[in-house]
Structure formats: structure tokens, C-alpha cells
């Protein structure tokens, strides 16, 4: 399987980052968005990122212009029919993702490989909804994709050695470090990290220590760049709530169950940095202050 033309579905935070990385890997990229407004917003996001690289002198203007000639956009699916690989990065909803793949399945050439960048949904379910179960893989990039060095490749029980090799080689050709996971909720990184954040939330809610001391303890005691509660605010509490629920649903182990404090915060719309309130008050984003969890 040779990959030359890559389709990216959805050009939000992840889709735009993945587009940049794949372009820099030397591939042609066609991006699909829902409508013209979102498409130009997404393409602008990619272009702005290259502009930043030029201004930092990490890339010459000529190179950036040459790379961007390999980028195109569409609001329909037909122009993706001849892609060798399609990476889906739309919002985290199984039905919506399956609808996209079913529609693409009807129009794409036989050899096209489908990949999903989902963080928590089942690759097996998505693959089983298409006629190309053997050509369906998970490719989980981390945010921000151009900076984070890791990609989890996720194999279902239908993935054979050829697709596996193609996928691993493709990810390596992007300059990323690849790790291989079975298709099970959380893959590797979220499987191990989500219960760690949920435990920190339980400890804070139970009054084991203050938010600041829990974060300070894990940061300085384990030499982590930041504590789990602050990181949870950066990631988005709604995403962690969702991931915990998906893993609890799959494994039925209490460590994956979101604690009541998380549910209350998500219900109130306190989602972390993006809403300026989570475990910290982010109204001065450079000076986050721990919240009082009692009100
Ligand atoms: N944000 C993260 O930290 C992160 C990390 C790894 C993986 N992911 C996964 O990546 C995926 C995307 O997340 P995101 O943070 O980029 O979301 P986002 O909301 O920033 O972007 C989603 C984009 O998809 C577009 N879209 C929705 N339906 C579409 C369709 N049918 N066709 C084309 N475009 C469509 C939306 O207009 C939006 O621009 C999710 O599955 C998420 O779980 C996210």
C-alpha cells in the first residue's frame, strides 16, 4: 500500500494540526469541513500555523509556500474518493463518525485506508459499519499534533500485517514516535492517565489536601510538568468526564467512574480553561487560582 494523497475530515483543533503534520511529511492533503465558513476557518488555521513557523525562522517562506500548494479543501466527500488514506477528526460522536465512514465507504476506491483519531470511541464499531474492516485503523494523535511527538496506532482484530506495516511506516514518516495498542477503551495513554486524574479529583473533593497541594505534590514528587488537576483544566473537564464514562462502561471498574464532583462541574458548565473555571479560576489565565470546591 502506497500513501500519497491523504484526506482529513474535520479541520478543528486536531484536524488542522494533523493536516499540518501530514503536509510537512510530504503528502498531498485534502481537508473536508461541514460548510464553506468552517472550511476557510480551518484552512486559515493551518496557514497561520505555517506563517508562525516562518516568523520563527523554523521554515523559509518559499518552503511554506511550496508545502501549502499540496493543500486543498472541500465541503463535499467526492473529492476524497481517490485518497490513499483518510484520517477522520470530527467531534467525538460515534454516530456522526460512522455516518461519515459509511458515506466514504460508498465512494472511495477499494484500496483507501480509513483511520479515526478518536480518543475514546470504538474503532471496531466504526470498522464493522463499513465494508472495509481489514482496512480500518485507529491513529490517535495528541494535542497539539504538530508539537506532541506521540501517535498511538490502534489495531482491531481485523487488521492484518500489511495494513499494520503501512500505518506504522506512515506515522514514522511524519517524524512521530508510534506506539501500538489493541482496540480497547482508552488505548494506552488515556487508559492509564484518566484514573490518575479522577483519583486526584476524588482526593480534592474528599479534602485529602488542597487543590494546590495535590498538584504541587504530583508535580514535584513525580517530576511532572504540571499537576493532574491543572492538566485536567487544560484538557477540558467534559472530555475527561466523557472518557471516564466510556471506560467505566467497557471495564466496569470503579477507578474509571467519574466522581460526583466532576459530574457537578460539567453539569454547571465549569469545563476548565476553556470556560475560565474548573479546578482553577482562569480569569487571569497567567495566574490561575485554585477554586473552593464547596461553592
Ligand atoms: N482535542 C484533543 O485534545 C484531542 C486529542 C486527541 C484526539 N482528539 C479527538 O479528535 C477528534 C476531534 O477533536 P477536536 O478537539 O479537533 O474537535 P473540534 O471540535 O475542535 O473539531 C471538530 C471539527 O470537525 C468538524 N466536523 C464535524 N462534523 C463534520 C463532518 N461531518 N464533516 C467534516 N467536518 C466535520 C467541525 O466543524 C469541527 O471543525 C475527536 O474525536 C477527539 O476525541 C482530540
Amino acid at each position: 500500500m502506497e500513501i500519497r494523497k491523504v484526506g482529513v475530515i474535520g479541520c478543528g483543533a486536531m484536524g488542522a494540526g494533523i493536516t499540518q503534520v501530514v503536509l510537512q511529511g510530504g503528502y498531498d492533503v485534502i481537508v473536508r469541513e461541514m460548510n464553506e465558513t468552517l472550511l476557510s476557518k480551518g484552512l486559515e488555521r493551518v496557514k497561520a500555523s505555517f506563517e508562525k513557523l516562518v516568523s520563527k525562522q523554523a521554515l523559509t517562506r518559499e518552503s511554506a509556500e511550496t508545502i501549502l500548494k499540496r493543500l486543498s479543501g472541500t465541503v463535499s466527500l467526492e473529492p476524497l474518493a481517490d485518497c490513499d488514506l483518510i484520517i477522520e477528526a470530527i467531534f467525538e460522536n460515534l454516530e456522526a463518525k460512522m455516518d461519515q465512514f459509511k458515506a466514504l465507504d460508498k465512494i472511495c476506491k477499494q484500496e483507501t485506508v480509513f483511520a479515526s483519531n478518536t480518543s475514546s470511541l470504538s474503532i471496531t464499531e466504526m470498522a464493522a459499519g463499513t465494508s472495509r474492516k481489514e482496512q480500518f485503523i485507529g491513529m490517535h494523535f495528541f494535542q497539539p499534533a504538530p508539537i506532541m511527538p506521540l501517535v498511538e496506532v490502534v489495531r482491531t482484530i481485523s487488521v492484518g500485517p500489511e495494513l499494520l506495516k503501512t500505518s506504522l511506516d506512515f506515522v514514522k514518516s511524519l517524524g512521530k514516535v508510534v506506539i501500538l495498542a489493541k482496540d480497547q477503551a482508552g488505548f494506552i495513554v488515556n487508559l492509564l492517565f484518566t484514573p490518575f486524574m479522577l483519583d486526584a479529583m476524588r482526593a480534592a473533593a474528599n479534602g485529602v489536601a488542597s487543590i494546590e497541594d495535590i498538584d504541587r505534590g504530583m508535580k514535584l514528587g513525580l517530576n511532572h510538568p504540571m499537576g493532574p488537576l491543572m492538566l485536567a483544566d487544560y484538557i477540558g473537564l467534559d472530555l475527561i468526564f466523557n472518557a471516564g464514562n466510556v471506560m467505566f462502561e467497557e471495564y466496569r471498574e470503579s477507578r474509571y467512574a467519574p466522581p460526583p464532583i466532576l459530574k457537578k462541574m460539567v453539569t454547571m458548565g465549569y469545563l476548565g480553561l476553556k470556560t475560565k473555571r474548573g479546578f482553577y479560576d482562569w480569569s487571569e489565565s497567567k495566574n490561575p487560582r485554585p477554586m473552593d470546591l464547596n461553592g
Side-chain angles (χ1 to χ4, degrees), residues 92 119-120 143 190 193-194 197-198 201 226-245 258 262-263 265-267 269-280 282:
E92 192 73 334
S119 301
S120 60
Q143 160 79 333
N190 287 339
F193 197 61
T194 304
M197 282 186 292
L198 297 179
M201 293 174 196
M226 75 176 72
L229 297 171
M230 184 168 281
L231 183 58
D233 272 2
Y234 271 106
I235 293 172
L237 301 186
D238 49 340
L239 297 182
I240 297 166
F241 182 65
N242 183 44
N245 278 327
L262 179 58
K263 184 173 181 187
M265 291 170 80
V266 171
T267 307
Y270 303 154
L271 308 181
L273 177 62
K274 63 187 165 191
T275 59
K276 302 225 181 293
R277 181 170 174 170
F279 287 95
Y280 289 83
W282 293 92

Side-chain angles (χ1 to χ4, degrees), residues 151-171:
V151 177
E152 289 176 313
V153 164
V154 183
R155 69 185 299 182
T156 69
I157 55 172
S158 300
V159 170
E162 199 190 344
L163 173 59
L164 196 57
K165 181 174 181 335
T166 304
S167 310
L168 297 176
D169 288 349
F170 171 74
V171 171

Side-chain angles (χ1 to χ4, degrees), residues 12-14 32-34 90 92 97 100 117 119 141 143:
M14 290 309 293
R32 197 250 162 164
E33 255 294 350
M34 303 244 276
I90 72 169
E92 192 73 334
K97 287 182 192 280
Q100 283 300 290
N117 179 52
S119 301
F141 291 77
Q143 160 79 333

Side-chain angles (χ1 to χ4, degrees), residues 31-257:
V31 168
R32 197 250 162 164
E33 255 294 350
M34 303 244 276
N35 57 46
E36 293 291 350
T37 313
L38 288 166
L39 178 62
S40 35
K41 206 172 144 195
L43 293 176
E44 274 317 309
R45 206 171 181 158
V46 178
K47 286 174 190 160
S49 211
F50 277 104
E51 195 53 49
K52 217 169 175 181
L53 290 177
V54 171
S55 69
K56 281 189 190 160
Q57 298 184 331
L59 201 66
T60 64
R61 178 155 304 282
E62 294 70 39
S63 309
E65 280 167 7
T66 310
I67 290 174
L68 284 169
K69 284 196 186 119
R70 286 189 273 104
L71 173 64
S72 58
T74 175
V75 292
S76 61
L77 288 179
E78 284 68 26
L80 287 105
D82 63 343
C83 283
D84 304 302
L85 167 70
I86 293 180
I87 306 173
E88 166 280 316
I90 72 169
F91 64 104
E92 192 73 334
N93 178 287
L94 184 63
E95 224 179 358
K97 287 182 192 280
M98 286 183 72
D99 283 350
Q100 283 300 290
F101 283 123
K102 279 182 186 156
L104 286 163
D105 194 23
K106 289 197 187 113
I107 60 162
C108 285
K109 62 178 180 178
Q110 233 181 338
E111 304 78 38
T112 308
V113 171
F114 288 174
S116 175
N117 179 52
T118 181
S119 301
S120 60
L121 300 172
S122 163
I123 305 293
T124 303
E125 275 191 68
M126 285 182 236
T130 70
S131 68
R132 49 187 93 204
K133 302 177 183 56
E134 294 81 16
Q135 274 160 255
F136 206 118
I137 198 131
M139 250 180 223
H140 185 222
F141 291 77
F142 289 77
Q143 160 79 333
I147 292 171
M148 296 294 278
L150 187 70
V151 177
E152 289 176 313
V153 164
V154 183
R155 69 185 299 182
T156 69
I157 55 172
S158 300
V159 170
E162 199 190 344
L163 173 59
L164 196 57
K165 181 174 181 335
T166 304
S167 310
L168 297 176
D169 288 349
F170 171 74
V171 171
K172 285 180 203 158
S173 78
L174 305 177
K176 299 290 183 194
V177 175
V178 63
I179 55 176
L180 182 60
K182 274 198 225 166
D183 180 33
Q184 49 178 40
F187 312 139
I188 301 170
V189 175
N190 287 339
L191 178 80
L192 299 180
F193 197 61
T194 304
F196 175 63
M197 282 186 292
L198 297 179
D199 273 345
M201 293 174 196
R202 283 183 198 105
N206 293 339
V208 170
S210 67
I211 289 174
E212 246 175 340
D213 277 356
I214 290 171
D215 272 352
R216 205 178 274 142
M218 300 318 283
K219 185 176 161 183
L220 301 179
L222 295 176
N223 205 13
H224 285 188
M226 75 176 72
L229 297 171
M230 184 168 281
L231 183 58
D233 272 2
Y234 271 106
I235 293 172
L237 301 186
D238 49 340
L239 297 182
I240 297 166
F241 182 65
N242 183 44
N245 278 327
V246 168
M247 283 186 250
F248 181 67
E249 186 68 28
E250 180 143 329
Y251 305 114
R252 295 281 159 190
E253 288 176 33
S254 57
R255 62 195 170 130
Y256 299 110

